[in-house]
Amino acid sequence: ASAFRNCQVNSMTLPFLGGSAAEDESNPFLGYIFGAPSTTLAGSYVPKTLTELTLLDSCTSIRENAFSGCTNLLEIGIPDSVTYIAGGALNGTAWYTEARKTPGVVYAGNLVYTFVPHTLTYDELVAEIAAAEEAGETPMENVYDVTLREGTTGIVDEAFRSTEVHEVRMPDTLTYIGVSAFDTCYNLTYVNMSSGLTTLNRRAFYSCTSLTEIY
C-alpha cells in the first residue's frame, strides 16, 4: 500500500497498466499500482514528479481514470499491443495539454484519442484555403477532412464528439469505433469505413444529421 507515495519518481517502466497480464479484473486501475485504497485513483496517490512512463508490450488496455492526477506526465510510451483506451484516460496530463495545442487528430499509440478543431470553423477554413490557392500560396491543411494514418486500429470513445469534422477516411487496419465517437458531428457528410471493422459501438454516429454517404 502507498508504495510510491511522496517519492521523487520521474520515470517508470511497467509491464501492464491496470489489470494483470492475465486480464485479472479485480485490480483494473493504476491506483492498484500506487496503493490507492479503492478502484478510483486519487491525485494524492500519484507521484507529482512523474514525467515519463513507458508501458511494455504485454499491456493491452488503459482503463478509466488511469492517469488521473498525473499533471506533470508529458512522455507516455504506448506500445502497439494496446488495443483499448478508455475515453478520458489520458486527460489531465501534460501530454494531453501539449497534444491539444495543434489542430487535428491526436493519436495515442495506434488509437485515435481525440480530435482538436481549428480556431476557424470548417467554412472559414475552406474559404482561407481557397484564397491561398488562388493567390498561389501554400494553403493550410483542412483538418476537418480527416484521413486516419495507416496502422490505426481504433477510435476512442467520444474522440470526435461535437466537432466540425466533415469527411473521415479510415484505413483497413481499423477494427474498433468507440461509444459516441462521432456523436453530434452535425457537419459530417461522408465516412469511408475500414473493411476490417468488427466493432461499431452504440451512438457512434448519433445525430450526425448531415451524414448522407457511408461506405
Side-chain angles (χ1 to χ4, degrees):
S2 303
F4 297 96
R5 194 169 189 177
N6 297 324
C7 292
Q8 296 297 306
V9 179
N10 294 107
S11 176
M12 287 189 171
T13 300
L14 303 173
F16 59 88
L17 182 65
S20 71
E23 297 298 323
D24 177 7
E25 294 298 324
S26 65
N27 53 294
F29 293 89
L30 184 60
Y32 181 85
I33 297 172
F34 290 114
S38 68
T39 55
T40 300
L41 177 60
S44 61
Y45 284 86
V46 181
K48 293 296 184 183
T49 50
L50 187 65
T51 59
E52 179 182 350
L53 186 141
T54 302
L55 302 173
L56 303 185
D57 288 341
S58 54
C59 180
T60 59
S61 64
I62 300 175
R63 304 300 182 90
E64 293 80 358
N65 302 314
F67 291 98
S68 174
C70 296
T71 54
N72 293 313
L73 185 55
L74 180 61
E75 300 292 335
I76 306 175
I78 301 176
D80 293 347
S81 57
V82 173
T83 57
Y84 174 79
I85 300 176
L90 309 181
N91 290 17
T93 63
W95 174 88
Y96 182 72
T97 300
E98 190 67 23
R100 290 195 61 81
K101 292 180 180 179
T102 304
V105 177
V106 175
Y107 295 90
N110 286 332
L111 302 177
V112 174
Y113 184 72
T114 191
F115 175 78
V116 183
H118 203 281
T119 53
L120 301 175
T121 66
Y122 173 77
D123 290 337
E124 290 170 341
L125 184 56
V126 168
E128 288 282 343
I129 291 172
E133 290 176 340
E134 186 175 346
E137 301 171 353
T138 302
M140 293 180 290
E141 177 189 1
N142 188 344
V143 297
Y144 298 112
D145 288 347
V146 177
T147 298
L148 300 181
R149 70 187 185 192
E150 290 296 325
T152 301
T153 57
I155 300 175
V156 172
D157 297 349
E158 301 185 4
F160 291 91
R161 186 175 186 177
S162 299
T163 61
E164 289 197 64
V165 61
H166 191 257
E167 295 185 1
V168 177
R169 295 168 180 82
M170 306 174 188
D172 291 338
T173 52
L174 190 141
T175 62
Y176 176 91
I177 298 178
V179 175
S180 296
F182 296 91
D183 193 326
T184 59
C185 289
Y186 298 126
N187 286 343
L188 183 61
T189 61
Y190 171 80
V191 175
N192 187 334
M193 289 193 185
S194 162
S195 63
L197 187 68
T198 58
T199 305
L200 179 62
N201 273 290
R202 60 188 174 84
R203 297 174 67 97
F205 294 95
Y206 181 79
S207 282
C208 293
T209 51
S210 298
L211 185 54
T212 57
E213 189 174 358
I214 303 175
Y215 174 77

